[in-house]
Amino acid sequence: MTMLEGRTGSWEVVIGLEVHAQVISNAKLFSGASTAFGAEPNSQVSIVDAAMPGMLPVVNERCLEQAVRTGLALGAKINLHSVFARKNYFYPDLPQGYQISQFEEPIVGEGEVLVDMEDGVTKTVGIERLHLEQDAGKSLHDQSPAKSFIDLNRSGVSLMEIVSKPDMRSAEEASAYVSKLRSILRYIGSCDGNMQEGSLRCDANVSVRKPGDELGTRCEIKNVNSLRFLRQAIEYEAARQVEIIEDGGTINQETRLYDSGKGETRSMRSKEEAHDYRYFPDPDLLPITLTPEFVETQRAALPELPDEKKNRFIADYGLSIYDAGVLVAERDTADFFESVANGRDAKIVANWVISELFGRLNKAGKDINDSPVSAHSLGGLIDLIADDTISGSIAKKVFDDMFETGKEAAIIVKEQGLEQVTDTGAIEGIIDQVIADNPDKVAEYRGGKDKLFGFFVGQTMRASQGKANPGMVNDLLRKKLDG
Ligand code: ADP
Ligand code: MG
């Protein structure tokens, strides 16, 4: 457990997250308007989204399906009976004067997420609930010095609010939890997880306590839209609370904002000013009733989830927990790996994908789907190593070229004459030259300086431009120097 050291000893940080995930659906939660990102302002607004008098919301079944699929993927209880409620508040970009959400009876109840930490420890984070709600519109204050504008394109878009239990104990755990949740949502295609575009954002509830004490008073940091900011905001906030308590003060339950420019959280509104939303069941909408058959159909149609895939990769391919975890984080990456691994040494393939391919993709800012080296081409390269056509070190150079040019490994090897030299006579010729060029080193070696063997290997490899078969170089050198 990570502790925060204060003047009065260690403090435990307690975190619970509310994640807002935009549902992937063509139409909004209660209207047929499009949800596409980046359209002209106010071009995707139906009379429901604009809250024209007399409008009637009609629930989009696809959004219910997505919420149920997500609940199942989180191992959560699906509530066959749930209710949409009005959450009443005024906001300029909320034309209805209330948000349709779920309160006492959400569509999904308790579940859990397994979070993999870097030290190989798996942590279970409880899910309290998942409910569906409408997103609000967006106020634009930076378009004119004198006016504010409102874009209602996002108004009515379906969100899933996923509320965790206060189970996390460090900023790293919170961030690992959001990554894992994001991975699950992307696997099942219920949310694209794009934090920059705001499709996934979270509110972090943070409190501190002395180990063994009751939960402390929490502050809620609103609308954090990157994992780095999430970690920074939690760390800053926990340290702020410890300092206040150690100075003899108390924490006021309040809503705070994280200012990423200044690296600090600041108060937005206190509990005294907290909203009383006057929730009540929306009279325009019937309660949602799901049949057990519907739920089972959704369950049966779920794809293999990250944890299942990871266990399979460990069991079937003999991968390490770490490598399996890295490969399954994204479904496309896992698929890429599997298509290369098919019929090849899986550990070698995992190594190439993780160390070489990911490294270069990261540097180039590219996604696996835009990889200049296809799964088929990478497989071709690995085959050339396996059948001794090229050495492992030459293969790295070939891979660089493949990444640059998109050419097949075999073609690059041909064009540049990179085939491994396995001809005993040719290697012996090079060794003889190296021995002739270094008479004093040979004498030292034969006089007992064993360490010099590596020098001869290096010289021979260099003289062969890296193309000599390293195993043969070793054997022949031993024969010539020792024999
Ligand atoms: P609200 O709707 O007022 O935000 P909830 O009961 O829905 O309140 O809780 C919101 C989040 O706060 C949950 O994720 C929960 O785990 C977390 N939470 C509750 N108590 C604490 C606490 N003492 N410290 C940290 N997080 C907490
Ligand atoms: Mg809250």
Side-chain angles (χ1 to χ4, degrees):
M1 193 184 300
T2 335
M3 288 288 173
L4 189 57
E5 295 308 319
R7 271 184 285 117
T8 63
S10 304
W11 293 84
E12 188 182 17
V13 183
V14 176
I15 304 147
L17 296 178
E18 294 161 82
V19 170
H20 287 92
Q22 183 176 325
V23 172
I24 295 179
S25 60
N26 293 329
K28 295 181 179 179
L29 183 52
F30 299 112
S31 85
S34 164
T35 57
F37 180 80
E40 273 292 292
N42 296 309
S43 61
Q44 299 174 166
V45 185
S46 77
I47 55 167
V48 173
D49 313 317
M52 291 298 168
M55 59 79 181
L56 273 178
V58 176
V59 71
N60 177 347
E61 229 178 88
R62 179 63 184 154
C63 298
L64 298 181
E65 236 172 63
Q66 292 283 44
V68 168
R69 298 176 69 243
T70 307
L72 291 169
L74 300 176
K77 177 168 185 286
I78 306 301
N79 294 322
L80 297 181
H81 176 91
S82 67
V83 172
F84 280 112
R86 289 188 183 177
K87 180 179 182 180
N88 298 283
Y89 60 101
F90 172 80
Y91 221 74
D93 50 28
L94 183 75
Q96 281 168 167
Y98 57 85
Q99 177 190 28
I100 307 179
S101 180
Q102 297 190 296
F103 187 49
E104 282 164 339
E105 297 181 89
I107 187 161
V108 176
E110 291 184 325
E112 60 184 39
V113 174
L114 296 181
V115 180
D116 312 300
M117 301 307 298
E118 269 189 0
D119 51 12
V121 171
T122 300
K123 156 116 199 173
T124 304
V125 175
I127 298 292
E128 183 69 47
R129 58 190 269 148
L130 175 157
H131 67 250
L132 280 167
E133 63 184 29
Q134 299 174 296
D135 204 349
K138 197 165 131 195
S139 298
L140 308 166
H141 304 298
D142 53 2
Q143 311 278 312
S144 143
K147 291 179 182 150
S148 281
F149 294 93
I150 289 176
D151 176 8
L152 291 179
N153 280 354
R154 239 171 48 189
S155 166
V157 165
S158 180
L159 302 178
M160 297 181 283
E161 178 170 335
I162 304 168
V163 183
S164 86
K165 301 205 172 177
D167 283 350
M168 287 152 277
R169 294 293 178 268
S170 67
E172 285 68 38
E173 281 183 14
S175 142
Y177 162 79
V178 176
S179 307
K180 184 62 177 285
L181 192 58
R182 180 174 180 276
S183 169
I184 295 171
L185 299 177
R186 285 171 56 80
Y187 259 64
I188 66 169
S190 68
C191 171
D192 66 24
N194 190 330
M195 295 188 84
Q196 284 101 55
E197 289 178 5
S199 313
L200 190 83
R201 44 193 198 263
C202 68
D203 303 339
N205 294 269
V206 180
S207 66
V208 297
R209 67 174 172 186
K210 282 287 167 80
D213 282 1
E214 300 278 289
L215 286 182
T217 304
R218 68 184 153 110
C219 289
E220 180 175 356
I221 309 157
K222 278 280 177 203
N223 262 328
V224 186
N225 63 0
S226 93
L227 293 181
R228 187 160 59 92
F229 292 163
L230 176 67
R231 289 191 295 271
Q232 289 171 354
I234 291 170
E235 266 158 21
Y236 176 90
E237 179 58 19
R240 185 188 74 87
Q241 293 182 13
V242 165
E243 196 176 313
I244 291 175
I245 302 170
E246 290 191 333
D247 283 344
T250 48
I251 303 301
N252 298 321
Q253 187 172 337
E254 61 184 1
T255 303
R256 301 178 68 85
L257 271 186
Y258 180 63
D259 181 333
S260 55
K262 293 202 174 113
E264 59 187 37
T265 63
R266 62 165 179 272
S267 184
M268 209 172 130
R269 55 175 186 258
S270 72
K271 196 189 178 192
E272 283 71 40
E273 307 159 45
H275 294 133
D276 177 352
Y277 295 115
R278 303 282 161 122
Y279 279 99
F280 64 87
D282 192 311
D284 288 341
L285 290 157
L286 287 169
I288 307 159
T289 310
L290 307 174
T291 63
E293 295 72 41
F294 171 82
V295 175
E296 287 319 306
T297 306
Q298 299 305 320
R299 191 196 304 277
L302 283 181
E304 183 181 39
L305 296 171
D307 290 327
E308 297 165 344
K309 208 184 267 300
K310 184 174 157 191
N311 292 334
R312 181 167 63 79
F313 278 18
I314 294 168
D316 291 4
Y317 295 117
L319 299 187
S320 69
I321 297 174
Y322 178 82
D323 284 359
V326 172
L327 290 172
V328 305
E330 293 284 342
R331 202 168 155 178
D332 291 341
T333 310
D335 289 348
F336 187 100
F337 162 76
E338 285 207 275
S339 70
V340 186
N342 184 16
R344 299 192 175 91
D345 182 322
K347 283 189 203 170
I348 291 174
V349 171
N351 213 8
W352 273 94
V353 172
I354 295 172
S355 321
E356 306 299 328
L357 181 61
F358 283 5
R360 284 179 187 66
L361 287 173
N362 264 342
K363 230 194 249 155
K366 285 192 165 132
D367 191 84
I368 188 96
N369 297 314
D370 324 315
S371 171
V373 179
S374 68
H376 178 264
S377 307
L378 179 57
L381 174 67
I382 293 170
D383 290 344
L384 293 180
I385 309 168
D387 69 11
D388 278 340
T389 304
I390 55 173
S391 68
S393 57
I394 291 284
K396 293 197 176 157
K397 285 189 222 154
V398 174
F399 186 69
D400 278 334
D401 265 17
M402 293 169 75
F403 201 87
E404 287 301 313
T405 63
K407 284 186 190 168
E408 294 296 320
I411 292 175
I412 293 171
V413 168
K414 263 250 159 54
E415 281 175 354
Q416 304 183 19
L418 298 172
E419 288 92 350
Q420 185 159 228
V421 178
T422 51
D423 168 14
T424 312
I427 297 175
E428 275 180 337
I430 298 171
I431 290 176
D432 289 343
Q433 190 60 49
V434 169
I435 288 177
D437 288 348
N438 297 281
D440 40 343
K441 290 264 172 22
V442 174
E444 278 182 65
Y445 175 79
R446 289 188 173 141
K449 208 167 171 197
D450 289 349
K451 277 193 304 192
L452 275 175
F453 190 73
F455 164 80
F456 292 108
V457 174
Q459 291 296 308
T460 310
M461 288 308 289
R462 171 118 61 95
S464 78
Q465 292 161 311
K467 292 188 287 186
N469 176 295
M472 293 178 69
V473 167
N474 260 279
D475 291 348
L476 292 171
L477 266 171
R478 289 250 178 252
K479 234 192 267 168
K480 292 204 176 260
L481 287 169
D482 300 350

